[in-house]
Amino acid sequence: MMMQKPPPEDFLLKETNPHLGGGKVTGDKLASTYDLVEQMYYLYVRVVKAKDLPGKDITGSCDPYVEVKLGNYKGTTRHFEKKSNPEWNQVFAFSKDRIQASVLEVTVKDKDPVKDDFMGRVLFDLNEVPRRVPPDSPLAPQWYRLDDRKGDKVKGELMLAVWMGTQADEAFSEAWNSDAATVSGAEGIANIRSKVYLSPKLWYLRVNIIEAQDLQPSDKGRYPEVFAKAILGNQALRTRISQSRTINPMWNEDLMFVAAEPFEEPLILSVEDRVAPNKDEVLGRCAIPLQYIDRRLDHRAVNTRWFNLEKHVVIVEGDKKKEIKFSSRIHLRICLEGGYHVLDESTHYSSDLRPTAKQLWKNSIGVLELGILNAQGLMPMKMKDGRGTTDAYCVAKYGQKWVRTRTIIDSFIPRWNEQYTWEVFDPCTVITIGVFDNCHLQGGEKAGGSKDARIGKVRIRLSTLETDRVYTHSYPLLVLHSSGVKKMGEIHLAVRFTCSSLLNMLHMYSHPLLPKMHYIHPLTVSQLDSLRHQATQIVSMRLSRAEPPLRKEVVEYMLDVGSHMWSMRRSKANFFRIMGVFSGLIAVGKWFDQICNWRNPITTVLIHILFIILVMYPELILPTIFLYLFLIGVWHYRWRPRHPPHMDTRLSHADSCYPDELDEEFDTFPTSHPADVVRMRYDRLRSIAGRIQTVVGDLATQGERFQSLLSWRDPRASALFVIFCLVAAIVLYVTPFQVVALLSGIYVLRHPRFRYKLPSVPLNFFRRLPARTDCML
C-alpha cells in the first residue's frame, strides 16, 4: 500500500526566534551578543589531586578515588592502587536544569573488594558557588581539608575547583557530563564527546607509462602480449596490451589514482605477459615510494625517469639451486597533481573547490558560523529495556573540517547548543548537517556489528544567504525509506555568513568553479566517477580510524555516496525539472500565440506599435531587452526568498512515487531480488527506453531533413530550395532590411481572418524532405 502522505506543512521550513547567547534576535542582527547558541549552565567540579590521605593498613597505603555527588547524579574518578598522594585532574559537569539538591558532596573513598571505605568529604553550598564566563581565566583550584560524616576535620586534603559556567567553558568538551551518566566504560564515554575531524589531504597521482625495455619472457618462441599494471592500496589499474609485440613494448598511457597524506603505501608497478586467456606471467615488478615523487602545480611536464623492474628466477643445476636476478627497465612520467581539486563530493553541492597544493590557495573571503541548537520530535530509532529510545548526535561538514557534537542520551528533544566556525573561500559552496543515532555507547563487542542510523540531513548553500544576517530556522529531517518518505523530526540551526570583503566575493563570480587544471587537462567523466569513489573510500577509512571514530556509514551518508545509482523516482524528478526550466519559454510561446490570434486586441495593437518602433530604430532592440530584464529583476526583488532552501519532497517526487519504484531504488547492486521481479523491472525499463528511443529518433529525423535541403537526396526539393535561395538573395539585396523585417512581422501578427487552419507552405515543404529513417534496419 502507498504510504499515507503527511500534511505538506510538516515538511516546510519554520523560522524561529531563540534566545541566542542570552540575547534575542531582532531583525537581521543580534541585539546583545555575538554567540549563535542558547546558553546552557553547568556546575563544574575539577578534582585535581589529594595529599596526606590516611592508610588502611600498616604500610600506610590506600587505593583512593573521588566520588562527586549532586542529588541523584554521581560521578567517580579512576582509582590508584597504594597511593596516598594521587593526582586525577578530572572535570565533572552537572546540568543546571537537572540539579535537584542544594549541596554538592565530594567524597574521597578507599576502593575495597567488599565495600569501599569512607575517608572524608568536602561539602559545598550551591548558593556560594562562583560564576565564570569565558574569556575569564580558569578558576584556580584550592586545598580543602576533609571532614568526616559528623563534620569534624580528619587527615587528608583535596584540591578542588568548583564554579558555575556555560557550555562555552574550555573544560566542557572533556568533562564527565551528568547528561550521560548512564554510559559506562572509557570507550563508551569517548563515543559521546564532541570532536573536530580533518579530512586527509588528497592528491591525484598521474602515472604516465611510456615504455619498457629488455623484458625476459619465459617463452622465447612466441610474441609477448605485454601490459603494465599499477596498484596503490585498494586501487588497481592496467594499460592495454602493447601493439608492439616485442621485448621493448610501448604504451604511453595515463593512469590516475587518489593518494592521501601521509603516504603509507608505495605504488606497485608490474609488467605482465598474457600467456593464456586466464594466465598472466609477471616479467618484472618495482615499488615506488610516493614521498619522493615530484609534485606538479601547473600543466608543465615533469621529467621522465627509468625504473628497474626486478624479477627473481631460481634455476636448478644438479643438486644446487641458483638464484638469478634479471633487471629490466620501465620508462615513466609520474607526478602528484597539486593543481586539481580531488572531488570527494558531488560538484553540485561541494563544500570545497580549492586545489590540493596550498601554494595555489586564494585568501578567504569570509567566515561561516553555525550554531547547532536542538532537535524536536525525533523518532525512536532502537529499543532499549522494552521502549523506544534515541541517542542523537550531529555531524557537520564543510571543506576539510568535520565537526561532531556530543551525543545526548535517551532524548527525543536533544539540546546541543554547540557553535562551530569555518573559513569560506568560495560562496558557491554547500554546508551539510546530518543527524544520527549513536549505536556504539557501551563500547563492547555487542555493538561492534551495528551501524549508526541516519535520522536526516540538511544542506545550506552559502550563496543563498545574505551576509551578516543570522538565520534561525527549524529544518525538517526527511529520510526516504523503501516504504516512502518519512519525517524523522526537526533540527534547529542558527547560521551566519560574514563577508570580509564584498568586492573579493563578487570577484569570485568571475572565476571558474574548479581549479584551472580541470580545464587545461580535463579528466573524463568515467575517470572522475572512479576517482571520486576512491576518494570517498579513503576519507571514510581514515576518519573511521580516528578516536573516537567517525564511522564509515556516517561519512558515506554525508558525502552522498551512491547517488549516481539508477532511480525511477529521481529520473522523473529530473524530467520535471527540465520541464520547469522550459516552462518560461513555453509560457512565452503561448503568450505570443495569443498575440498572433488577437485574443486581446489592445495588447496586440500595442505589440504592433512596439514592433514598428524597434524596426524603425533597431539600435533600441538590445537596450530594450536589457531594460526589460532589469525591470523584471527589480520587480521580483520584493518577493525574493527570505529563507534558506531545504529538502523539497515535491521536487524530489518522494511523496508521489510507487512502492515498487522505491523498492527498486533501495535494491542492492547487483540485485538481490528474485528473477520474476527483476524481469518485470527490466521490461518496464525497456518500455521507458523505447519511448526515449522514439523521441531521440524524431530529433534525428528533423536534423536530417535540414541536412537534406542541400544534399540533393530529393532532387526536386533541393532544386526548389536552391532557386528560392537565389530569389531571396536578390530580393533581400534590393530591398531595405527594415522593410523586409516590417513586412515579415506584420505577416506573422496578421488577424485570424487572414489565417488558414492548414499548415503553412514552408512547414509542408519541410515535412516532405527525406530523412534516413527508411535506411535503418
Side-chain angles (χ1 to χ4, degrees), residues 343-642:
L343 294 167
D344 58 350
E345 304 167 288
S346 172
T347 52
H348 301 300
Y349 33 82
S350 180
S351 63
D352 189 12
L353 301 168
R354 293 172 293 172
T356 300
K358 201 168 184 178
Q359 302 93 308
L360 302 177
W361 290 3
K362 307 292 185 182
N363 293 329
S364 64
I365 61 169
V367 174
L368 172 66
E369 298 168 276
L370 172 68
I372 303 175
L373 303 179
N374 55 63
Q376 300 285 336
L378 296 185
M379 302 293 290
M381 303 300 296
K382 56 179 178 286
M383 298 299 295
K384 183 179 181 182
D385 299 329
R387 62 182 182 86
T389 181
T390 298
D391 305 319
Y393 67 93
C394 285
V395 174
K397 197 265 182 190
Y398 183 78
Q400 295 182 340
K401 179 179 173 182
W402 301 66
V403 299
R404 169 179 171 163
T405 67
R406 68 190 188 281
T407 300
I408 305 300
I409 307 299
D410 192 14
S411 176
F412 299 133
I413 49 172
R415 297 177 63 209
W416 294 286
N417 284 303
E418 298 184 23
Q419 182 172 342
Y420 299 96
T421 304
W422 288 267
E423 279 190 302
V424 177
F425 294 87
D426 194 313
C428 302
T429 46
V430 177
I431 182 173
T432 305
I433 304 101
V435 186
F436 302 88
D437 176 50
N438 197 331
C439 298
H440 299 82
L441 292 182
Q442 303 308 318
E445 292 298 328
K446 296 179 182 179
S450 58
K451 294 184 177 181
D452 289 354
R454 57 185 70 169
I455 299 178
K457 182 167 57 177
V458 174
R459 295 193 195 99
I460 302 174
R461 183 171 291 275
L462 270 60
S463 59
T464 62
L465 304 179
E466 298 177 13
T467 55
D468 299 322
R469 177 188 168 188
V470 179
Y471 290 83
T472 54
H473 291 85
S474 183
Y475 295 80
L477 295 171
L478 307 176
V479 174
L480 190 65
H481 297 282
S482 57
S483 57
V485 65
K486 188 175 183 181
K487 181 179 177 181
M488 307 298 290
E490 296 179 0
I491 183 172
H492 192 187
L493 302 175
V495 183
R496 177 170 57 204
F497 174 37
T498 305
C499 176
S500 57
S501 173
L502 180 61
L503 289 178
N504 288 343
M505 184 173 69
L506 295 179
H507 184 57
M508 288 297 299
Y509 282 85
S510 65
H511 289 185
L513 191 65
L514 293 170
K516 63 180 182 179
M517 284 295 290
H518 286 269
Y519 307 98
I520 297 175
H521 287 297
L523 302 174
T524 64
V525 175
S526 59
Q527 276 183 319
L528 288 174
D529 288 341
S530 174
L531 292 172
R532 184 195 168 199
H533 173 73
Q534 297 298 335
T536 55
Q537 294 300 311
I538 292 174
V539 171
S540 62
M541 181 184 68
R542 289 289 180 92
L543 293 180
S544 64
R545 289 164 53 187
E547 188 60 40
L550 197 59
R551 304 190 180 275
K552 181 179 180 181
E553 62 271 15
V554 174
V555 176
E556 290 184 347
Y557 181 59
M558 296 290 289
L559 296 179
D560 223 12
V561 174
S563 60
H564 63 284
M565 299 296 291
W566 160 255
S567 167
M568 179 72 74
R569 172 193 62 83
R570 201 176 287 120
S571 300
K572 290 196 294 186
N574 289 334
F575 172 76
F576 283 101
R577 285 174 60 200
I578 294 176
M579 295 302 297
V581 170
F582 287 109
S583 62
L585 297 177
I586 296 173
V588 171
K590 291 181 178 179
W591 172 80
F592 186 72
D593 182 69
Q594 292 176 357
I595 295 297
C596 294
N597 289 295
W598 293 67
R599 298 288 175 84
N600 190 336
I602 297 177
T603 305
T604 304
V605 171
L606 292 176
I607 294 297
H608 275 77
I609 296 173
L610 177 63
F611 174 71
I612 294 172
I613 293 174
L614 293 178
V615 170
M616 299 303 295
Y617 302 97
E619 64 273 9
L620 297 178
I621 294 177
L622 290 179
T624 302
I625 293 174
F626 284 106
L627 180 62
Y628 180 65
L629 294 176
F630 168 77
L631 294 176
I632 291 177
V634 172
W635 179 259
H636 287 172
Y637 181 77
R638 299 173 56 191
W639 295 281
R640 69 190 184 278
R642 299 291 293 171

